[in-house]
Amino acid sequence: MSNNELPLDGVKIIDFSQVMLGPCATQMLADFGADVIKVERPKSGDLSRNVFGGQGEVSQNNPVFCSLNRNKRSITLNTRTDAAKNVIYELIKTADVVVNNFRPGVMTRMGFGYEKLKEINPGIIFAAGTGFGTKGPYSHKGGQDVLAQAMSGVMEQRAHDSVPRSIYPTALCDYAAGMHLVQGVLAAIIARYKSGVGQKVEVSLYNSMIAMQMQEAANLMATKGTLNWAALPLCGVFDTTDGAVVVVGAFKENPLQDICIAIKHAKDLSIKYPMLEDQVEAKEFLQGEFRSHFSKMSTTEAITNMEKRDLLCAPVKSLEEALKDEQTIVNQMIATMNHPIHGSIQVISSPITMSDSPFTIRHTPPGLGQHTDEILAELGLSLDDTQ
């Protein structure tokens, strides 16, 4: 591979996906060289173009859309017409992967089901992301992050029963399933090198959340016991005089003793509560002691004292603070691109670093249908052929 060649150069992806699960997956594939052709509806396009009620042309490329769709090309097609269907079939002939995150059966009703597409191209990889899977009692439900949080057990898991059940504010399920979709696509590409044929790849929000709880699930099925990292007696979030700190009192011989020294407690509470079982029984008391002492310390003092005892700890930061953090800058997690509508904008870059394949932005997030003529010309067609 030459210095200018990316790992997925030459891989063509036809992308019907929208919102987050599919787009975050295809963006990662695009970041590393895949030619991702985003198929969108005329006039409206991807739902995330107008998320939060944006109005006018600017909303066609709002920050949410921009965060998920760099390095892609956009073609608008009315896929209800035969002419547009034929364009898709022509694209499939030379494509490697087709991606969608519709409900099960939608692609088939559109005329783009796996059986149809593999007749056109036996090497096609049909990658689908759904809410709950393509079979079973919940397969009809729309895929949405919050629903998967609720139905997978994630929302029920809390640090304490007194903590209200709540929605995790970041789209954790979408991102996890999107990354699983990336893994599945890459594995299928490798398999095709060996077999010469493509296959169907399926992920779901639900499965990704069940998989993410692999430790907790294994413990529950083996012992009937609950594993809850947030509920451990020496773990917690504690207010300081100017913020908050999180402490994970684990993976040390006597973490309670170290915490007591760090917070300058008058007593070594590990003498009275030496074992984990003792600490679990005394959790309310111990947590109260921690809260009382941390509340008299600044965040810097608390972190400094705990790090002297080699305790796992961190300040609790806002996203704004995290984005400005020196570590974020050193890790090159913020990328700047010149957008034709917005001008210079910042987005999150790839979390993957490769020594010989550096992350680059080859295309800014496309305007709706921006590359329609270009893509049709590559097929020897014109806009009139798609009406």
Side-chain angles (χ1 to χ4, degrees):
M1 188 170 69
S2 69
N3 290 336
N4 295 324
E5 188 178 0
L6 292 169
L8 298 180
D9 276 346
V11 173
K12 182 185 288 186
I13 298 174
I14 312 304
D15 183 12
F16 287 88
S17 70
Q18 56 183 332
V19 189
M20 185 169 181
L21 189 168
C24 76
T26 53
Q27 177 170 269
M28 179 162 283
L29 295 166
D31 283 347
F32 289 99
D35 177 16
V36 175
I37 298 175
K38 188 175 180 71
V39 180
E40 300 189 76
R41 295 165 297 180
K43 298 182 180 180
S44 56
D46 187 327
L47 289 172
S48 67
R49 287 186 181 273
N50 291 290
V51 73
F52 302 129
Q55 297 294 325
E57 185 179 7
V58 173
S59 72
Q60 296 297 309
N61 286 285
N62 65 42
V64 172
F65 179 83
C66 288
S67 73
L68 294 160
N69 289 284
R70 63 173 172 256
N71 289 330
K72 302 177 186 180
R73 299 192 289 166
S74 171
I75 182 172
T76 50
L77 293 170
N78 179 4
T79 54
R80 294 179 179 178
T81 68
D82 290 339
K85 283 182 167 62
N86 288 332
V87 171
I88 297 298
Y89 297 148
E90 287 298 314
L91 286 170
I92 292 298
K93 288 179 181 179
T94 57
D96 298 282
V97 185
V98 60
V99 176
N100 82 89
N101 59 346
F102 298 133
R103 297 191 193 198
V106 170
M107 284 288 280
T108 299
R109 291 194 294 273
M110 292 171 64
F112 309 132
Y114 177 54
E115 296 302 322
K116 173 67 175 180
L117 299 187
K118 76 175 182 178
E119 289 177 4
I120 299 171
N121 180 355
I124 198 70
I125 294 164
F126 187 92
T130 64
F132 298 91
T134 57
K135 299 177 183 178
Y138 307 139
S139 60
H140 67 285
K141 292 180 69 67
Q144 205 282 329
D145 196 278
V146 175
L147 307 187
Q149 290 180 36
M151 297 182 71
S152 64
V154 169
M155 192 177 289
E156 180 66 22
Q157 192 88 317
R158 293 158 289 153
H160 192 276
D161 289 343
S162 64
V163 177
R165 296 173 183 83
S166 62
I167 296 170
Y168 189 73
T170 295
L172 181 69
C173 313
D174 274 313
Y175 189 78
M179 295 306 98
H180 287 155
L181 192 62
V182 170
Q183 295 170 33
V185 166
L186 295 178
I189 290 174
I190 293 172
R192 190 179 58 191
Y193 287 144
K194 300 176 181 179
S195 69
V197 296
Q199 60 184 297
K200 187 184 294 186
V201 175
E202 297 176 350
V203 303
S204 71
L205 303 176
Y206 185 77
N207 285 2
S208 290
M209 285 300 94
I210 295 290
M212 190 172 285
Q213 299 171 91
M214 60 182 72
Q215 297 177 86
E216 294 87 345
N219 187 72
L220 179 63
M221 291 184 289
T223 70
K224 305 301 180 184
T226 299
L227 174 61
N228 185 335
W229 293 103
L232 292 175
L234 306 186
C235 296
V237 180
F238 306 100
D239 290 337
T240 62
T241 58
D242 58 355
V245 297
V246 62
V247 182
V248 179
F251 310 112
K252 289 176 64 64
E253 183 176 348
N254 191 347
L256 179 53
Q257 181 183 65
D258 288 313
I259 292 173
C260 289
I261 294 172
I263 63 176
K264 301 178 182 179
H265 199 284
K267 298 179 180 178
D268 176 3
L269 298 175
S270 69
I271 296 174
K272 185 174 182 180
Y273 308 105
M275 307 299 293
L276 178 60
E277 293 80 2
D278 303 320
Q279 295 162 10
V280 169
E281 289 293 324
K283 178 182 175 180
E284 297 301 324
F285 167 72
L286 294 173
Q287 295 268 314
E289 292 296 291
F290 299 161
R291 280 192 295 272
S292 174
H293 283 71
F294 277 119
S295 69
K296 301 170 186 175
M297 306 168 70
S298 70
T299 299
T300 299
E301 180 185 5
I303 295 295
T304 300
N305 290 350
M306 287 187 288
E307 287 185 340
K308 285 180 181 178
R309 304 303 304 175
D310 196 27
L311 286 161
L312 293 169
C313 62
V316 178
K317 297 186 177 184
S318 67
L319 176 59
E320 183 176 11
E321 290 171 325
L323 291 176
K324 294 177 181 178
D325 196 290
E326 182 182 357
Q327 190 66 58
T328 304
I329 306 305
V330 169
N331 289 355
Q332 298 182 323
M333 280 303 298
I334 298 177
T336 301
M337 57 187 177
N338 293 315
H339 193 278
I341 295 176
H342 299 300
S344 179
I345 62 173
Q346 291 181 309
V347 292
I348 298 302
S349 66
S350 174
I352 299 173
T353 300
M354 300 179 69
S355 61
D356 294 332
S357 305
F359 164 76
T360 58
I361 296 178
R362 306 184 310 286
H363 308 295
T364 56
L368 180 59
Q370 178 181 339
H371 303 94
T372 299
D373 289 348
E374 174 183 296
I375 294 167
L376 290 175
E378 292 170 2
L379 299 173
L381 301 173
S382 67
L383 187 61
D384 292 338
D385 298 317
T386 70
Q387 301 306 310

